[in-house]
Amino acid sequence: MIEPVSDERDRRGPITPRMAMRVAVLGFLAFAVFGVIFFRLWYLQVLSGDRYLAQAQNNLVRTTRIPAPRGAILDDKGRVLVENRVSTTVELDPEQLPQAERDEAAEWGREMTTRSRLAKRRRGRVPRVPAPATAALRARFRRLGRVLGMTARQIQERVVTSLVLAPYARITVKTAVPDTVRDYLLERQSRFSGVTVEKIYLRRYPHGSTAAQILGTVGEISRREMKLRRFKGVPQGTIVGKEGLEYSYDRYLRGVDGKTKIIVDALGRPKGQREARRPEPGRSIRLSLDLDLQRAGQRALAHAIASTPGVAGAFVAMDPTDGKVLAMGSEPSFNPAVLAKPITQRRYEQLFGEQAGSPRFNRAIGGFYPTGSTFKSITAMAGLTSGVITPYTTINDNACVQIGEQQRCNAGHAAYGVVDLQRALQISSDVYFYLLGAALNPLKAQPLQRWARRLGLGHRTGIDLPAEGKGTVPDRAWRAQRARAERRCRRRRHIPLSADIYQAVAAGCGISDMRPWSVGDNVNLAVGQGDVQASPLQMATVYSTLMTGGRVPRPHLGMEVEDANGRVLREIGHRRARHVALPAGPLQAIRAGLHASTQGVGTSGFDFQGWNQRRFPVFGKTGTAQTGQGDQAWYVCYVPDRARPITIAVTVERGGFGSEAAAPVARWMLGQWFGQPKVWVGAALGKVE
């Protein structure tokens, strides 16, 4: 056997006694260290495990959110319109509900969504809220209901509604519970699993329904809202603005919630507090709104609706020089405090549904109606600037005029004889403006529509309120677009294109009769009839522009952000007013006609009998627009007082003549604004306050 040859360099020397001693010492030390660790773990887990488990069960840390009070909303003089009050609320943790309950709530929510997408006539009854998913849950709700003075059915309705709107947010069962109920629940938490009692801030409205649609409402943030950029980083369960100014200025009003870490035992009983971060209250918002004028306007409008065939209405009062909204109201109105507490779907439908007149709807910015004769100022400007007429152009008004195949007449077939522009505005001669609309129609530039848009119609004013609409200024392009939409609808529903408009309406379209633009359309527009749609705020903007000589104001309500001590933190900036060039001659002629309209035989001369025209000259125009539901009453006016200029626009749905339903509201408001006797000259002639 051949032995392998190894190099001398590969040979290893023997281990010395000193090296062996070092290795032994290191091994002993390592063994000792691991032995200590092993015995320590054995001691903690085996000998002391029960004791530490008990301590863990008795020392859980629970983090609770401390809601921040929202800031107040104040009028121009600092009077409180919205503030907070502390209330005790009973809530349920949705995670403590069985999965079957949440599934049934989700199914009910889908049924409600499907129903809301149907046409009103096809919706049928509101789907019934499902019963509690399990017998144990039903018994649980009964037990809680006996304490709160509620039925299990009421609790179930609030649970299901809350799960649909915000599935992961705590469910508010009842607010403003007495201290005795609060203490009873806190002392018996083991019997009411998932129930918590918290102190929260509820919005308080000292003046009831005053400015309700403007102020808006609040509520818990929804899942959809949490995805919006404006609510980025806002935690679940936070109260945010939902409508009106509460929504527009939520970032100032909301504040920053606090946080408390509390040590509790296994039963949830507090054992001590570790740390807390105090909430930062929201800022206050001061408005341009005048509380006294707001009250006067709402009172007068409600009286006008009650004393005429009217069913609803709206008004706007603003400073024409800078766009500050002094008052804005919509009737019917509501008390926002009702929505500060949980409310059943049935009760909500009773108070806020269509049968109640949709009181949450702000008709001042979202209600769009044909304007009637208040549009004639725009028609006059278009005719004067395009050279079709001069201030001295006259016609012989014999009550009716033939335009194309149609005969058009004044209201009541009144004949006014020879009239010029000023006289036509004073007495509201329809024949004069019918002829002017017909003369403007052939012009390619469509001056009537162009001036309507330049003065403020057909687009949003930019007011700091959500849900403002654009309205409609019909022209050739608009009519063609509507015709295309009608064709698409008929193809989709298999309606013959040859079918007339009445057949299309019966089949569900009725978007357009698909005819081209005609002279009749322009004639209708010239007197504020037909397809034109404008809001009271837009008409107030138009007449403010006439008063200022071309400065189109940007309406706004928010003025300043203040702290709790009333110190101004910042002024709320708004976009600058835009300017349109209004020639002096046409402007003067229109102003003369508007002023004459409020005197003598003018259409609103009767309304302003006894008014101090020398000190507070009124420039205004009545309007009565025919609709399928009744006559839409209008009145728009301004007073160019140096100290306190004001523009007011009022409309009443189905109110009849503008001079009888709308003008008295403006007259009452002007009396309040200028400290003059408030005389009602409508149905209750001679009533003075």
Side-chain angles (χ1 to χ4, degrees):
M1 184 173 180
I2 301 175
E3 295 288 339
V5 179
S6 26
D7 196 329
E8 285 293 333
R9 290 173 298 182
D10 292 336
R11 294 181 180 177
R12 301 178 182 274
I15 298 176
T16 63
R18 181 177 295 180
M19 178 64 71
M21 179 60 69
R22 290 178 179 176
V23 173
V25 171
L26 290 174
F28 177 78
L29 291 175
F31 179 78
V33 170
F34 282 109
V36 170
I37 295 174
F38 173 79
F39 283 110
R40 180 60 178 169
L41 291 174
W42 179 76
Y43 173 79
L44 293 174
Q45 295 184 9
V46 179
L47 296 183
S48 305
D50 293 339
R51 181 165 60 89
Y52 285 115
L53 177 61
Q55 290 180 358
Q57 291 176 338
N58 286 298
N59 290 280
L60 300 175
V61 177
R62 178 177 297 173
T63 301
T64 59
R65 185 174 57 87
I66 306 175
R70 288 179 70 83
I73 301 179
L74 316 171
D75 82 337
D76 63 332
K77 298 179 178 64
R79 291 172 288 190
V80 174
L81 301 175
V82 186
E83 58 183 358
N84 300 303
R85 64 181 179 90
V86 179
S87 177
T88 302
T89 181
V90 176
E91 300 176 346
L92 276 174
D93 184 356
E95 297 296 331
Q96 299 294 320
L97 297 173
Q99 185 61 43
E101 176 76 359
R102 285 181 275 177
D103 292 342
E104 290 186 3
E107 179 61 29
W108 182 81
R110 284 190 287 270
E111 292 178 8
M112 289 293 292
T113 301
T114 302
R115 176 180 179 272
S116 66
R117 293 173 179 171
L118 297 175
K120 294 178 182 178
R121 64 180 180 275
R122 298 173 55 192
R123 289 180 180 178
R125 293 185 177 182
V126 177
R128 185 176 177 82
V129 175
T134 65
L137 185 62
R138 187 181 301 110
R140 185 170 153 194
F141 287 169
R142 286 175 181 168
R143 186 164 60 250
L144 180 60
R146 283 194 293 269
V147 178
L148 300 179
M150 302 173 64
T151 65
R153 182 69 186 175
Q154 289 174 323
I155 297 177
Q156 171 70 359
E157 289 179 352
R158 294 185 181 181
V159 167
V160 171
T161 304
S162 181
L163 287 173
V164 171
L165 297 176
Y168 302 104
R170 287 189 174 275
I171 302 164
T172 301
V173 179
K174 190 171 184 178
T175 57
V177 299
D179 293 343
T180 54
V181 173
R182 177 199 64 194
D183 296 339
Y184 183 89
L185 292 173
L186 289 175
E187 292 169 359
R188 296 165 177 80
Q189 288 188 346
S190 59
R191 294 181 55 191
F192 301 97
S193 59
V195 176
T196 59
V197 182
E198 302 287 347
K199 281 191 175 183
I200 62 171
Y201 294 95
L202 295 181
R203 294 304 249 172
R204 177 176 174 270
Y205 304 87
H207 307 289
S209 62
T210 302
Q213 296 90 352
I214 300 173
L215 300 174
T217 58
V218 298
E220 280 194 12
I221 188 170
S222 65
R223 286 193 297 174
R224 181 188 62 82
E225 290 170 329
M226 292 177 69
K227 299 176 183 178
L228 300 178
R229 184 176 180 181
R230 66 181 290 118
F231 294 119
K232 184 177 180 181
V234 177
Q236 178 182 311
T238 302
I239 299 298
V240 299
K242 296 286 187 176
E243 298 171 342
L245 293 168
E246 293 276 18
Y247 178 85
S248 298
Y249 293 108
D250 180 74
R251 59 175 176 152
Y252 298 120
L253 294 167
R254 189 189 325 133
V256 180
D257 291 343
K259 184 186 297 184
T260 301
K261 291 184 178 180
I262 303 175
I263 302 174
V264 298
D265 60 18
L267 297 178
R269 294 174 298 196
K271 304 288 289 184
Q273 181 173 307
R274 284 191 174 182
E275 58 179 294
R277 186 186 70 194
R278 301 184 64 178
E280 297 180 17
R283 308 301 186 184
S284 298
I285 300 294
R286 187 182 290 261
L287 308 179
S288 59
L289 208 70
D290 183 276
L291 179 59
D292 297 325
L293 184 63
Q294 181 72 29
R295 286 171 170 167
Q298 287 194 217
R299 179 182 178 186
L301 180 60
H303 180 73
I305 294 172
S307 58
T308 66
V311 296
F315 66 85
V316 173
M318 62 187 291
D319 185 330
T321 61
D322 58 11
K324 289 189 296 187
V325 175
L326 307 171
M328 177 186 289
S330 179
E331 290 290 336
S333 189
F334 69 101
N335 190 341
V338 175
L339 296 173
K341 303 177 182 179
I343 183 173
T344 64
Q345 184 66 28
R346 183 179 304 173
R347 182 61 173 162
Y348 182 87
E349 290 290 339
Q350 291 175 348
L351 295 176
F352 304 105
E354 294 179 10
Q355 297 298 323
S358 302
R360 294 177 70 176
F361 178 49
N362 188 351
R363 292 169 170 82
I365 64 171
F368 290 92
Y369 315 95
T371 64
S373 295
T374 60
F375 194 91
K376 290 176 179 176
S377 298
I378 301 174
T379 307
M381 182 62 70
L384 291 168
T385 56
S386 61
V388 173
I389 61 170
T390 71
Y392 312 106
T393 299
T394 61
I395 67 161
N396 188 15
D397 184 348
N398 292 320
C400 296
V401 64
Q402 188 76 24
I403 298 178
E405 298 179 357
Q406 289 186 332
Q407 187 182 56
R408 298 173 181 267
C409 302
N410 292 324
H413 288 72
Y416 299 114
V418 178
V419 296
D420 59 6
L421 177 62
Q422 178 176 330
R423 177 73 173 168
L425 286 171
Q426 180 187 23
I427 59 177
S428 199
S429 166
D430 288 333
V431 168
Y432 189 97
F433 288 94
Y434 287 150
L435 293 171
L436 181 52
L440 289 168
N441 186 62
L443 303 182
K444 293 183 179 180
Q446 299 185 95
L448 188 53
Q449 290 82 353
R450 179 166 56 87
W451 272 105
R453 296 188 180 99
R454 292 183 70 186
L455 291 172
L457 302 189
H459 51 81
R460 296 182 180 89
T461 65
I463 190 172
D464 47 347
L465 284 173
E468 183 189 13
K470 293 182 178 180
T472 303
V473 177
D475 59 10
R476 295 183 179 90
W478 176 84
R479 178 160 289 284
Q481 184 273 330
R482 299 291 288 178
R484 290 192 296 269
E486 175 72 21
R487 290 189 184 94
R488 288 194 298 268
C489 175
R490 293 194 185 190
R491 292 191 188 102
R492 187 168 58 251
R493 301 187 181 184
H494 306 290
I495 302 173
L497 294 178
S498 59
D500 63 27
I501 185 63
Y502 302 105
Q503 292 175 341
V505 170
C509 282
I511 300 171
S512 169
D513 54 10
M514 297 191 296
R515 63 176 176 79
W517 181 265
S518 68
V519 64
D521 292 314
N522 221 55
V523 169
N524 283 337
L525 179 59
V527 294
Q529 295 278 176
D531 296 311
V532 62
Q533 299 280 300
S535 70
L537 181 62
Q538 288 177 327
M539 291 307 297
T541 302
V542 170
Y543 276 68
S544 294
T545 306
L546 295 177
M547 196 217 85
T548 59
R551 191 171 187 269
V552 186
R554 301 284 189 181
H556 61 273
L557 283 151
M559 297 296 294
E560 296 172 344
V561 179
E562 301 178 353
D563 62 13
N565 298 319
R567 182 179 58 189
V568 177
L569 301 178
R570 60 164 294 179
E571 293 184 355
I572 299 175
H574 300 282
R575 291 184 299 171
R576 293 183 178 180
R578 60 185 178 88
H579 291 263
V580 295
L582 298 183
L587 183 60
Q588 183 59 35
I590 294 171
R591 286 174 174 172
L594 295 178
H595 189 37
S597 177
T598 67
Q599 304 176 76
V601 297
T603 53
S604 59
F606 178 75
D607 299 282
F608 285 93
Q609 287 183 6
W611 180 262
N612 191 342
Q613 289 278 6
R614 187 170 184 177
R615 184 177 178 187
F616 305 111
V618 182
F619 298 71
K621 188 74 190 72
T622 57
T624 306
Q626 297 175 354
T627 69
Q629 293 76 36
D631 289 340
Q632 186 77 26
W634 279 90
Y635 192 69
V636 190
C637 66
Y638 65 82
V639 178
D641 183 67
R642 289 187 177 182
R644 308 188 78 193
I646 189 172
T647 300
I648 297 177
V650 182
T651 191
V652 179
E653 297 179 17
R654 308 182 200 176
F657 290 107
S659 60
E660 296 179 358
V665 178
R667 169 69 173 82
W668 190 275
M669 294 178 68
L670 289 175
Q672 172 66 44
W673 186 246
F674 291 110
Q676 300 296 301
K678 296 197 288 290
V679 180
W680 186 268
V681 291
L685 177 62
K687 182 178 179 180
V688 180
E689 182 181 273

